[in-house]
Amino acid sequence: METLPTALSTPLPTVWFCAVAILWIGYLFLEGFDLGVGMLMKLFARDEAERRVLLNTVGPVWDGNEVWLLTAGGATFAAFPRWYASLFSGLYLPLTLALVALIFRAVAFEYRGKIASTRWTAAWDWAIGLGSFLAAFCVGAMLALTTTGLPLNANGDRVGGPFAWFTWYAVLGGLAVVGFALVHALAFLALKTDGEVRVRAHRAFHRWMPLGILPLVVWAVSIQLHNGKWWSWTLTALAALAALVSWQLARRGSEGRAFLLMAAFLATGAAGIFSAVYPVVLPSTLDPANSLTVATASSSSYTLGLMTVVALIGLPLVLAYQSWTYWVFRRRITVGSIPTAHHVVPAFLTRLVTGSHGVEPTPAKEA
């Protein structure tokens, strides 16, 4: 009798190509509005109260959203080791920049309120904004190059210097993710806040949405013109329809449906891009014979079968937990729901300033 991994072996490389694509779409959907809110800390919020509202909209979920990036990278490593090796070694510079930006952004979330200082909070606000922008741009650049190609030789190694990856496609992909993240965040804020922030987010989303998604549309159409099949063109057309309906619903004030249709726009548009390049997972711009495909880059059938079993058990648990988290924190946030900032002194600062436990220094931390 066949073991389960063997029985599942025939379509598994294609199944895991679809799984990796879904993980990246999930990351762009969840982390998209997360990164966008970070960028809007400086572009949208007018004062400290509004910045705290923006922070609280993503505060309970931002770190959970980043799990999708780790899962997408881990799934690529396990299911397609040659794809992972060529992609991440060839793009080590934007990958490193993206990771540093995400780390710096995470530190900023935690450290922003530790000291009651306007200069301190302003500096960490810039860290959140710039870290979010750099992470979104680098992730977009890497995904664009995954679909358009790198100068790979027969061994799968990148040819050229450290900036050989920096092409107009990389810039287009970076701008695509940045633009989508910004308008997706505006749709999220219109759904998650109330009062003046909600009104302005709704107005800004309707105004800037066509411009924000334009680079992603150009990327998708460009891929279709080079590699499109009838089904990938169909998905791209559905993406355009979803974007148009989302824009119209936003004008009518239907914020929840507009947000969900932005998710549909991303899902169908990205699916159109991935399906257009299939079965190639990483094209070579030097010689098409050097391109990596689903068949040549995948792990063994046993490995993919075992991964499938684990995924069928673990993925529903992750989805259930994350859905529960969003449900618990589903209520709208207003400036009035943010408590007044107050100051406390951490014990380590007390000992540092006074050298003892009995003297109270000047309050220095914002709770």
Side-chain angles (χ1 to χ4, degrees):
M1 180 180 293
E2 287 184 310
T3 62
L4 182 57
T6 302
L8 295 175
S9 63
T10 305
L12 284 183
T14 298
V15 168
W16 273 98
F17 175 80
C18 295
V20 170
I22 291 171
L23 289 171
W24 278 113
I25 292 171
Y27 172 73
L28 292 175
F29 169 61
L30 295 174
E31 188 82 337
F33 67 76
D34 189 337
L35 294 172
V37 168
M39 288 183 273
L40 291 175
M41 289 283 290
K42 283 298 184 181
L43 297 175
F44 178 82
R46 292 178 175 175
D47 53 33
E48 174 62 13
E50 290 190 355
R51 282 187 282 273
R52 292 182 67 192
V53 168
L54 264 62
L55 282 175
N56 277 269
T57 61
V58 298
V61 297
W62 67 267
D63 47 355
N65 294 341
E66 290 184 356
V67 170
W68 287 78
L69 175 62
L70 300 177
T71 307
T76 305
F77 170 76
F80 301 98
R82 290 193 62 197
W83 182 14
Y84 179 92
S86 296
L87 180 66
F88 283 77
S89 62
L91 298 176
Y92 63 86
L93 184 56
L95 175 64
T96 302
L97 290 175
L99 294 177
V100 170
L102 289 172
I103 293 170
F104 202 48
R105 177 173 173 268
V107 171
F109 275 127
E110 299 296 335
Y111 275 48
R112 182 184 184 275
K114 299 301 183 184
I115 295 178
S117 164
T118 302
R119 182 178 296 179
W120 174 271
T121 55
W124 288 116
D125 287 343
W126 278 110
I128 294 172
L130 294 176
S132 299
F133 169 80
L134 185 59
F137 185 87
C138 290
V139 167
M142 289 188 289
L143 288 176
L145 292 171
T146 302
T147 59
T148 59
L150 288 170
L152 301 178
N153 60 23
N155 293 325
D157 300 324
R158 189 201 66 208
V159 176
F163 291 96
W165 60 274
F166 195 72
T167 63
W168 83 271
Y169 272 120
V171 175
L172 178 64
L175 293 178
V177 173
V178 168
F180 173 79
L182 285 171
V183 295
H184 195 37
L186 289 171
F188 174 74
L189 290 176
L191 180 65
K192 194 69 174 66
T193 64
D194 211 344
E196 176 65 17
V197 175
R198 176 186 180 184
V199 172
R200 288 182 18 243
H202 173 269
R203 187 166 57 242
F205 172 73
H206 184 261
R207 179 180 182 182
W208 294 108
M209 187 263 215
L211 181 61
I213 67 172
L214 180 60
L216 184 53
V217 172
V218 173
W219 174 15
V221 172
S222 176
I223 293 297
Q224 300 307 324
L225 291 174
H226 285 86
N227 305 292
K229 297 98 173 175
W230 69 265
W231 60 85
S232 61
W233 273 109
T234 301
L235 289 168
T236 304
L238 290 174
L241 179 62
L244 178 61
V245 176
S246 176
W247 188 61
Q248 292 295 326
L249 288 173
R251 185 172 65 176
R252 299 175 187 174
S254 184
E255 297 155 344
R257 293 180 181 178
F259 178 77
L260 290 177
L261 279 167
M262 279 298 292
F265 161 73
L266 171 70
T268 51
I273 292 173
F274 278 104
S275 62
V277 298
Y278 175 85
V280 176
V281 295
L282 186 58
S284 171
T285 58
L286 298 180
D287 185 350
N290 299 337
S291 300
L292 299 179
T293 67
V294 167
T296 61
S298 66
S299 294
S300 67
S301 298
Y302 181 84
T303 299
L304 295 178
L306 187 60
M307 288 175 59
T308 303
V309 174
V310 173
L312 290 174
I313 297 172
L315 186 59
L317 296 177
V318 173
L319 291 174
Y321 170 79
Q322 206 157 20
S323 299
W324 176 81
T325 302
Y326 277 92
W327 176 256
V328 169
F329 296 101
R330 68 189 181 278
R331 298 188 183 278
R332 292 181 181 270
I333 299 173
T334 67
V335 171
S337 63
I338 304 296
T340 303
H342 60 282
H343 308 293
V344 296
V345 182
F348 81 91
L349 281 181
T350 302
R351 293 192 293 270
L352 180 64
V353 173
T354 68
S356 66
H357 298 277
V359 180
E360 293 287 341
T362 302
K365 177 185 177 185
E366 179 183 312

